[in-house]
Amino acid sequence: MIKFPSYAFITGLYFSTLQFCFLILLQINISSAYLTYMIITGSWLAGSLVGLWMRSLNRHLGVGLGLFCFYGVYALVTHLPFSGYTLAFSALGAGLAGLWAGQFFIFLLSQYKEVDRLFFHENNGFLLGIIIFFVGFTMLGREFVFWAPMALAGLLLLNHTWIKEHSKPGQ
Amino acid sequence: MKNSHNKSLVLLFLVGVCLSISQFIMIRDFVTILYGEEVVIILVTAAFFAGLSIGYFLSLRFSKKFFSTLFLCTVFLHLTFPFSYRILAVEIARSDLSGYWYLLLMFFYALIFSSIFATFLPRLAGQEVPALSPVEKFRKLYSVELAGFAVGFVIVGLSWNRGVDFILPIYWALLAVVVHLALHRKWATLAFALIALIASASLTHWDRRTTALLYENKHSLDDATTLLSINSAYQKVEVMEDGDGERYLYLDGLLNLNASDLEDLNFYIALVPAQLTQPEKALIIGNGTLSSVPKVYPHSQQVQSVELDSGVLLAGQKFFTPKEDLSALDRWSLTVDDGKHFLKTTPHKYDLIVMDIPSPLTIQEAILHTVEFYELARSAMTAQGVIAVQLSGPLQHNNRTPARVVAALSKVFKEVMVLNSEQADRSFAYASNQLPFSLQEVRETTQEHEEDLEIVSPEDVPFYLTKAMPLAVDNLDLVLRRGWERFTNRYFDDD
């Protein structure tokens, strides 16, 4: 049972880092207006809602899609910050990245059945992510925004591999 | 059973709405109480999320009876918002208690604000619904909670530029329904609704009174009166008046300006550079009070103001620069936009840019003092264009805010002149690739206003910067370091 808290915790950390990285990307490159915040949060929320009802989104695809969308938006806002489509694509990107934020709970719940613990660990990761993002961005700036989502996705993959290794029968 | 499941769905939807609103109220109010540096914003947000974690952790550890009693006690405490925690903060300030008491207050209220809502989902997900698998049931429950959170988000949006007397009655009304659905005790619902109704009637008065008490005791403002207290989309905007009739503008509890400072600030940041450059096109970024406009206007053919926060504009026009003063200025226009966005999209080139923005204590404010921002400003300036910046303190030979801002300016512009004004208690910088005025001309223009003004020539500015690291988007450590320093000095420095 020790495996599930770590996975939920790192996922929460990944979610908050990814969400804040999306937000700061748009704030640096396009605008700090409230609309930016509304677009990212609203799209992420909508993505999570859709993700809850999806039948086929495995964890690798979910995390991978989030990363793909993030780096897609990164490239877009860096090179075409004022195209009429940039905000719309960013909203779509944040929404698609949010799919796993919904599906993740279904995925873990179907295995562990403990809603309270699941949310507790995920929320703790999210909380730590808020602090790490603040410290990371103020100290490292765009390097943090570029590398942190990738590093955390890698950590999730490692954690998953470790769980699989330690879940083999007879171990 | 199906009926009970439907009730659970409605309940969780409302819990989602309330959670969204309570997050907004708590973060805005506690940030204002503790003063809004980014460090404080993160701390208060973290406290709110810690409250959620505690709620999740405890949700299934209590019996139904104990949970009901605890919920009832907690939810009635919500009717004391925002007065109870403000009064407690006032008492902590009055008693000169250690800063840990503020932290204790914040974490205690985080339990009331967020923990209680976090307990619902795990408890309701644990109830038997024969027709649904646990996963299907969770899917429905969590969906409605998320949908409720989104609706709460919209309600929060409707409350922009209004006081808490708009959003709290809505919040209490929703909570009354939550109380009814969660407890099924008519007397509790009735009592809650009745108290909410009475509290709503005097909300405006108590909001203003407790705000004034906070400013009297935490900010040492004598005989404070609250003239305005609203939540804009970005921050809490408050206009206070002291016993001498002096007006102060506070943003998230941080003093932005007072009416006397405003005179000196506008003189150096707006009037002097406008008088010396006689710009064809002048751009004023920030300056929500719009008080710089009448200073720049007589010397410019066209003046453009850009301010992000319509709440600050509202405060400015109501209490600092009346609309009548601006209505005759037909060569002036105002755009509500982010300064960065405006500069990136404007087709115009400006002869003068006045940067009247708060000190770099949050990430967003700090970005407007960076090398990258000044490069952007330079791209929207004419060859001899000048940018005027207030430095939030006196320029010294160190690595603190004024030196770091001047270092950023020096990286982008060939010439930077600094005015150290004792009267304004801060320095101002004029930067350009080719300053269209000399030190002597600045001296002549300012002589009457401040005889002993110290002016640092562009040739001498580098001597102040040997220890200063230019502020840049990739180097905003100042926000963390300065914010932390201010926070710890304010609450944990015994000297």
Side-chain angles (χ1 to χ4, degrees), chain B residues 1-19 71 117 120-121 124-125 127 129 137-149 151-152 173-184:
Chain B
M1 193 59 90
K2 191 163 182 227
N3 196 25
S4 151
H5 179 60
N6 287 342
K7 265 190 190 167
S8 297
L9 292 176
V10 177
L11 177 58
L12 260 185
F13 175 80
L14 293 172
V15 163
V17 183
C18 289
L19 188 62
F71 174 67
F117 295 122
F120 278 90
L121 182 62
L124 293 174
Q127 284 177 359
V129 182
K137 185 178 49 182
F138 170 80
R139 190 173 260 149
K140 283 191 169 182
L141 289 170
Y142 191 39
S143 294
V144 293
E145 195 183 28
L146 281 181
F149 194 86
V151 170
L174 293 166
L175 267 185
V177 185
V178 170
V179 169
H180 183 69
L181 291 173
L183 301 175
H184 307 289

Side-chain angles (χ1 to χ4, degrees), chain B residues 315-362:
Chain B
Q317 293 190 1
K318 234 173 165 177
F319 299 102
F320 294 94
T321 315
K323 263 185 180 165
E324 311 78 77
D325 291 8
L326 301 166
S327 56
L329 309 183
D330 53 358
R331 290 178 281 113
W332 168 70
S333 56
L334 170 67
T335 304
V336 178
D337 193 3
D338 175 26
K340 294 190 298 291
H341 184 257
F342 181 86
L343 284 172
K344 282 178 182 172
T345 49
T346 182
H348 301 294
K349 297 274 180 195
Y350 293 92
D351 305 294
L352 173 65
I353 297 180
V354 174
M355 290 297 302
D356 186 1
I357 52 170
S359 309
L361 294 172
T362 66

Side-chain angles (χ1 to χ4, degrees), chain B residues 19-39:
Chain B
L19 188 62
S20 190
I21 299 175
S22 77
Q23 180 177 2
F24 168 73
I25 297 173
M26 177 180 166
I27 292 177
R28 276 295 165 86
D29 260 30
F30 272 89
V31 164
T32 305
I33 289 172
L34 297 173
Y35 308 170
E37 296 98 353
E38 192 84 39
V39 168

Side-chain angles (χ1 to χ4, degrees), chain A residues 20 23-24 26-35 37-39 41-42 45 48-49 51-55 81-82 101-103 105-106 109-111 113-127 130-131 133-135 137-143, chain B residues 23 28 38-39 42 45-54 56-57 59-61 121-122 125 134-136 138-140 142-147 149-150 153 156-157 160 233-234 308 337-338 340-341 344-345 363-364 367 372 473-481:
Chain A
F20 280 100
L23 190 62
I24 203 78
L26 265 67
Q27 289 185 334
I28 293 173
N29 293 291
I30 302 178
S31 168
S32 303
Y34 194 72
L35 182 69
Y37 175 74
M38 291 282 257
I39 282 175
T41 313
L45 214 54
S48 304
L49 258 171
L52 269 174
W53 293 89
M54 284 180 80
R55 300 284 164 185
F82 300 111
Q103 184 64 33
F105 290 103
I106 302 296
L109 199 66
S110 53
Q111 298 181 39
K113 325 258 184 258
E114 294 167 331
V115 177
D116 58 332
R117 291 188 63 201
L118 175 55
F119 274 86
F120 173 72
H121 294 299
E122 192 270 346
N123 191 65
N124 287 343
F126 198 93
L127 195 166
I130 294 171
I131 297 165
F133 174 82
F134 171 57
V135 176
F137 179 69
T138 51
M139 301 306 282
L140 302 169
R142 284 169 292 197
E143 266 190 47
Chain B
Q23 180 177 2
R28 276 295 165 86
E38 192 84 39
V39 168
I42 297 298
T45 309
F48 184 86
F49 277 88
L52 286 179
S53 279
I54 292 168
Y56 292 132
F57 182 76
S59 58
L60 299 182
R61 283 170 170 77
L121 182 62
V135 169
E136 284 304 313
F138 170 80
R139 190 173 260 149
K140 283 191 169 182
Y142 191 39
S143 294
V144 293
E145 195 183 28
L146 281 181
F149 194 86
F153 207 53
V156 166
W160 297 149
Y234 306 93
L308 178 62
D337 193 3
D338 175 26
K340 294 190 298 291
H341 184 257
K344 282 178 182 172
T345 49
I363 289 175
Q364 293 311 324
I367 286 174
E372 290 81 358
V473 169
D474 295 333
N475 191 1
L476 294 175
D477 60 307
L478 182 85
V479 177
L480 176 61
R481 291 181 207 277

